[in-house]
Amino acid sequence: MLKDLAKPVMYLKGVGEARSRLYEKLGVFTVYDLLYHFPRYYIDLGEYVSLAAAPLNENCVVKCRVVRKMQAARIRKGLVVYKAVITDDTGDATLMVYNTGYVFQSLEIGKEYYFVGKLSGNLLRKEISSPQIYPVEGTSPVQPVYSLTEGLTQKMLRQNVRSALEIFNSSIYEPLPKDIMRDNGLCSLEYALQNIHFPVDSHTCSIAKQRLVFDELLTLQLGMLMLKKRSREISGCKMGPQDMEEFYSSLPFELTGCQRAAIEDCIRDMQEQSPMNRLIQGDVGSGKTAVAAGAAYFAFKNGCQTALMAPTEILADQHYETLRGFLEGLGAKVVLLTGSMTAKQKRLAKEGIENGEFSVIVGTHALVQKDTVFRKLGLVITDEQHRFGVEQRAMLAQKGDGPHKLVMSATPIPRTLALMIYGDLDISVLSELPKGRMPVETYAVAGSVRERAFGYVRKYLDEGRQAYIVCPMIEDSDSELKSVKEYAENMKKGPFKEYRVGLLHGRLSSAEKESIMARFKAHEIDLLVSTTVVEVGVDVPNAAVMVIENSDRFGLSQLHQLRGRVGRGKYKSCCILITDNPTEEVKKRLRVLSGTNDGFAISQEDLKLRGPGDFFGSRQHGLPKLKIADMTEDLEILHKAQDTARELMSKDPQLDSSEHKGLKEMTELLFEENVSDN
Ligand code: ADP
Ligand code: MG
């Protein structure tokens, strides 16, 4: 990078120690950072309105002459008001500025200015107080507005950005190779930075934005692809072909075509010299566990161990049971390893893992990773990996001696986004559900019909089914925990007096959680009141009805996940979304769920409604924070950037050629910042 750009902002004229500390609050440390501190929006002074037509108490721009300046008046100690009369021939108004005498002094009588602010008063006597003021002469009509922190003003920002641009423009710096700029119709970086900050009009601004969005998405994709390459280089456990027939025919059901294909993808990958790095993406209930079992069986036949890591003990437990069912009849011994086991149980398990007695080890993330010694670990499977970030995956890849890796995610996301977010993985999609599944009928209802909903639930229970009631609970809030407990008590005493009611929440010890889940599975509990701990993966096919309280507090994708706990067996299932806050917007959101059971469609809708920031939360996906690109809106540029990245990687995988030096730097910078963010 240009040396001068890496200098601290203090290097700029007018920026001293105090101001540079304010800049730090905005995450701006260097001249470069300031150049990439883009405006939040722009004011278009060209869209001024006449004083006569200007709305009251709303932000607007007026273009007026200064007619007369009045005497300054001291209102009270420390507060001086300067007044002037301004006009645009459709009317006039009183301008008021407080304390900033120099601003007032600089106004010239008879000269025209843009005033940006709110008019107050009434139609006869209008006032505008502390507006932003720009002389009409010599001012570009489009003005940037930055996010600030106390002590910084728009004017300071603009001045400092100008000097940063001067430094930038004084040398020729262009990280993108010419042909890439040409092929994608992009302007130069110099033009882009100039016009993102100080556009002449909205057209130049959008040209600038395209270039910067492209840069950001390109570097992001390059970073992901380089990560993928890096994990490719570690040599893994190359496996040999095996007969899978015994596995397929021993299953209690016939695999869907997608499940079959996904297993075959894994088998193919595991016969390569470099480790598999694959994501299984499938909607809730699409049967990801069976795919995991297939891959584990293949590893077993190759004399290798498989570790399956789950995010919670409940899930670890469940996977343990399931895999035992699938695999033990075929000779592969399965063992569970979780924190709530006794010291002796753990020791026995670990001994068996070390001496190779166990072929499949199921546990929580922490345990399987820690001091467990494997005899020959060939495959690591992680369930619900969307909770872990890119860096964690990269770290895992650097551990061990390069076992094959399989990741299972139940958050269906559009393919382009998947390519970005999981750009370091290959993807198999389970796009169909097992045969005979009936869609979960979903109703959004107001709290006033709660009693009727409970009646409906009782009907299911009387037919021998089981039910969930989910209450949202913000993690670790005592008052909310109390209310969930009370709620469960009320259910026990009231509408579900005749039934066996259990309560599951995150604050229970693992042993308690386990025992409740086990009792629910064994149908010793009819109705399980639960917080969102049931969200991920829990599989009890006899549960056919779910009520979700305060459903407006959940995102659509999360509701879809929750709802996925029912409709997993052969019974017709139903989900009732209760809301005490039935605004139009809430109803509209919830109606998406009544309308479809397709997780992909739902996540797309969720993305549209909430934006990717909220949807994933940058922590969750572990991607760098994007400054300007929006992966859901800038789709066209996203495609171009992805194509370009792929082409670059095939030509120059390490970006080592001198032509790509700038790009490599930009890529490293993006990922470096991300690491220090977390
Ligand atoms: P998820 O993809 O949500 O993790 P699971 O692996 O838990 O789904 O599977 C959901 C349920 O569907 C389980 O009860 C499982 O036994 C069953 N199942 C999986 N594959 C099939 C299939 N091909 N046919 C019928 N049932 C299946
Ligand atoms: Mg699952």
Side-chain angles (χ1 to χ4, degrees):
M1 181 175 29
L2 281 174
K3 257 212 320 283
D4 287 346
L5 294 185
K7 289 192 170 147
V9 271
M10 277 240 268
Y11 180 71
L12 296 170
K13 205 172 76 209
V15 182
E17 212 159 302
R19 196 182 290 184
S20 79
R21 261 198 299 277
L22 295 177
Y23 272 124
E24 279 175 23
K25 286 194 195 164
L26 295 175
V28 171
F29 297 88
T30 61
V31 175
Y32 177 91
D33 293 339
L34 186 61
L35 284 174
Y36 280 82
H37 183 67
F38 300 130
R40 218 152 37 93
Y41 62 95
Y42 303 86
I43 309 178
D44 192 347
L45 300 173
E47 293 189 348
Y48 61 87
V49 290
S50 69
L51 268 181
L56 290 180
N57 305 314
E58 262 175 54
N59 271 318
C60 65
V61 184
V62 294
K63 183 182 176 189
C64 291
R65 259 183 352 262
V66 178
V67 181
R68 184 155 53 91
K69 290 177 166 186
M70 273 88 100
Q71 280 286 325
R74 184 177 300 268
I75 298 181
R76 55 181 158 80
K77 198 167 175 238
L79 187 62
V80 182
V81 60
Y82 301 88
K83 291 189 183 180
V85 176
I86 58 174
T87 183
D88 68 354
D89 300 328
T90 71
D92 48 43
T94 308
L95 164 73
M96 304 198 288
V97 296
Y98 296 92
N99 283 354
T100 40
Y102 64 93
V103 172
F104 190 73
Q105 251 81 68
S106 69
L107 293 176
E108 286 175 42
I109 297 201
K111 217 171 134 176
E112 263 192 318
Y113 298 89
Y114 296 110
F115 299 91
V116 184
K118 282 182 189 159
L119 284 158
S120 58
N122 55 44
L123 289 177
L124 296 175
R125 278 192 42 197
K126 289 182 180 170
E127 290 174 357
I128 186 162
S129 152
S130 309
Q132 294 176 45
I133 304 173
Y134 307 89
V136 169
E137 208 181 290
T139 301
S140 154
V142 186
Q143 288 290 319
V145 180
Y146 297 94
S147 51
L148 298 174
T149 182
E150 202 181 319
L152 284 175
T153 65
Q154 296 297 342
K155 201 162 166 196
M156 291 176 193
L157 253 290
R158 286 174 198 152
Q159 265 164 2
N160 297 151
V161 170
R162 267 189 213 286
S163 15
L165 278 172
E166 270 166 37
I167 295 175
F168 184 86
N169 294 345
S170 65
S171 44
I172 299 157
Y173 176 66
E174 178 50 73
L176 272 195
K178 287 234 158 36
D179 54 333
I180 293 184
M181 283 168 56
R182 192 192 52 229
D183 294 349
N184 294 282
L186 298 169
C187 67
S188 70
L189 184 57
E190 179 180 341
Y191 182 95
L193 287 173
Q194 177 69 41
N195 283 279
I196 201 73
H197 289 288
F198 303 110
V200 179
D201 52 33
S202 59
H203 180 62
T204 66
C205 184
S206 95
I207 291 174
K209 188 170 172 213
Q210 277 185 33
R211 161 68 201 252
L212 295 166
V213 168
F214 182 88
D215 280 10
E216 191 161 52
L217 294 176
L218 175 66
T219 45
L220 182 59
Q221 185 75 84
L222 281 174
M224 297 303 281
L225 291 177
M226 283 166 94
L227 211 58
K228 184 170 179 170
K229 274 223 64 151
R230 209 176 314 157
S231 54
R232 279 289 141 81
E233 279 151 17
I234 315 163
S235 82
C237 265
K238 185 166 155 55
M239 299 187 184
Q242 301 293 339
D243 180 10
M244 293 288 289
E245 216 29 64
E246 208 187 345
F247 171 76
Y248 291 135
S249 56
S250 75
L251 286 173
F253 41 71
E254 195 175 327
L255 292 175
T256 65
C258 293
Q259 282 172 313
R260 253 321 246 273
I263 294 176
E264 276 156 21
D265 286 341
C266 294
I267 289 177
R268 196 171 357 89
D269 287 357
M270 287 191 280
Q271 295 180 63
E272 298 286 324
Q273 184 62 62
S274 53
M276 164 165 79
N277 220 355
R278 182 167 290 279
L279 171 77
I280 305 290
Q281 244 210 346
D283 208 344
V284 269
S286 56
K288 291 181 286 291
T289 321
V291 175
Y297 177 76
F298 182 76
F300 160 71
K301 294 280 272 188
N302 272 284
C304 291
Q305 287 171 308
T306 295
L308 192 155
M309 303 190 282
T312 65
E313 294 213 353
I314 293 181
L315 268 191
D317 233 50
Q318 178 183 296
H319 282 321
Y320 168 66
E321 294 295 338
T322 310
L323 290 184
R324 241 167 44 142
F326 286 156
L327 298 175
E328 286 213 325
L330 305 175
K333 282 190 84 175
V334 184
V335 72
L336 180 69
L337 186 55
T338 63
S340 59
M341 286 164 46
T342 64
K344 186 174 170 204
Q345 288 173 319
K346 279 187 225 170
R347 187 170 46 77
L348 283 177
K350 285 185 184 176
E351 273 171 21
I353 297 168
E354 188 162 3
N355 70 28
E357 178 192 349
F358 298 115
S359 305
V360 179
I361 299 90
V362 182
T364 41
H365 212 254
L367 267 176
V368 175
Q369 250 179 306
K370 250 202 223 147
D371 58 345
T372 316
V373 182
F374 294 88
R375 182 171 171 86
K376 192 174 182 211
L377 181 61
L379 170 63
V380 175
I381 305 177
T382 340
D383 193 13
E384 314 293 350
Q385 178 90 11
H386 65 288
R387 307 187 154 232
F388 309 107
V390 179
E391 297 125 68
Q392 272 163 302
R393 285 206 299 272
M395 257 158 54
L396 261 178
Q398 273 149 22
K399 267 194 164 54
D401 9 323
H404 297 287
K405 284 174 298 296
L406 184 63
V407 170
M408 301 191 283
S409 166
T411 306
I413 49 174
R415 182 158 178 84
T416 33
L417 273 184
L419 272 177
M420 229 1 138
I421 290 167
Y422 299 113
D424 55 335
L425 305 177
D426 297 310
I427 305 178
S428 305
V429 179
L430 304 184
S431 55
E432 64 186 312
L433 294 179
K435 270 203 279 299
R437 283 288 163 75
M438 281 174 282
V440 180
E441 273 180 32
T442 304
Y443 310 95
V445 302
S448 52
V449 299
R450 195 173 267 116
E451 289 305 320
R452 256 177 58 202
F454 291 155
Y456 200 65
V457 172
R458 283 193 296 267
K459 247 176 46 201
Y460 273 88
L461 299 184
D462 292 339
E463 284 166 13
R465 303 286 79 73
Q466 290 162 279
Y468 298 96
I469 299 185
V470 182
C471 303
M473 181 175 122
I474 294 166
E475 251 175 275
D476 285 333
S477 142
D478 282 316
S479 63
E480 297 219 356
L481 177 60
K482 192 164 152 259
S483 64
V484 172
K485 282 182 176 163
E486 267 168 28
Y487 184 96
E489 274 312 306
N490 292 341
M491 292 297 115
K492 239 183 253 181
K493 287 192 216 128
F496 297 98
K497 217 165 40 217
E498 319 284 320
Y499 304 87
R500 296 163 297 179
V501 179
L503 171 63
L504 186 71
H505 58 81
R507 292 276 198 91
L508 294 172
S509 75
S510 306
E512 286 168 318
K513 274 188 243 171
E514 239 170 69
S515 119
I516 289 173
M517 271 325 291
R519 283 169 52 211
F520 189 58
K521 264 191 188 172
H523 202 167
E524 291 163 22
I525 291 174
D526 301 302
L527 169 69
L528 188 62
V529 177
S530 172
T531 61
T532 49
V533 290
V534 295
E535 177 193 350
V536 280
V538 170
D539 185 38
V540 179
N542 190 46
V545 57
M546 173 177 276
V547 174
I548 304 180
E549 287 280 0
N550 290 102
S551 51
D552 48 286
R553 281 175 61 176
F554 297 103
L556 286 182
S557 298
Q558 200 184 1
L559 286 171
H560 179 64
Q561 276 292 316
L562 282 167
R563 164 172 76 173
R565 300 310 112 221
V566 295
R568 300 173 79 83
K570 50 186 181 294
Y571 309 107
K572 191 163 169 315
S573 301
C574 147
C575 177
I576 303 170
L577 308 170
I578 297 187
T579 171
D580 290 309
N581 171 31
T583 62
E584 267 315 304
E585 197 213 312
V586 166
K587 278 196 276 187
K588 187 174 152 211
R589 218 154 56 85
L590 296 180
R591 234 177 275 136
V592 174
L593 287 167
S594 331
T596 177
N597 271 271
D598 176 351
F600 283 89
I602 289 165
S603 70
Q604 199 125 22
E605 199 59 33
D606 208 9
L607 265 166
K608 250 199 275 168
L609 291 169
R610 292 201 289 164
D614 282 343
F615 182 74
F616 301 108
S618 106
R619 278 286 149 85
Q620 264 196 8
H621 59 62
L623 280 184
K625 262 203 216 87
L626 298 181
K627 289 197 166 82
I628 191 165
D630 176 336
M631 286 198 270
T632 52
E633 293 205 334
D634 300 317
L635 272 184
E636 202 180 318
I637 306 182
L638 178 61
H639 289 304
K640 284 185 184 172
Q642 283 176 336
D643 290 345
T644 308
R646 265 192 296 269
E647 205 173 307
L648 274 165
M649 281 288 102
S650 69
K651 278 197 296 211
D652 182 9
Q654 296 300 324
L655 297 179
D656 280 335
S657 81
S658 62
E659 193 193 15
H660 298 145
K661 194 161 154 274
L663 259 180
K664 188 169 185 168
E665 257 173 16
M666 275 209 305
T667 305
E668 283 167 354
L669 211 58
L670 185 73
F671 278 81
E672 205 173 279
E673 276 180 14
N674 179 47
V675 172
S676 58
D677 268 2
N678 284 295

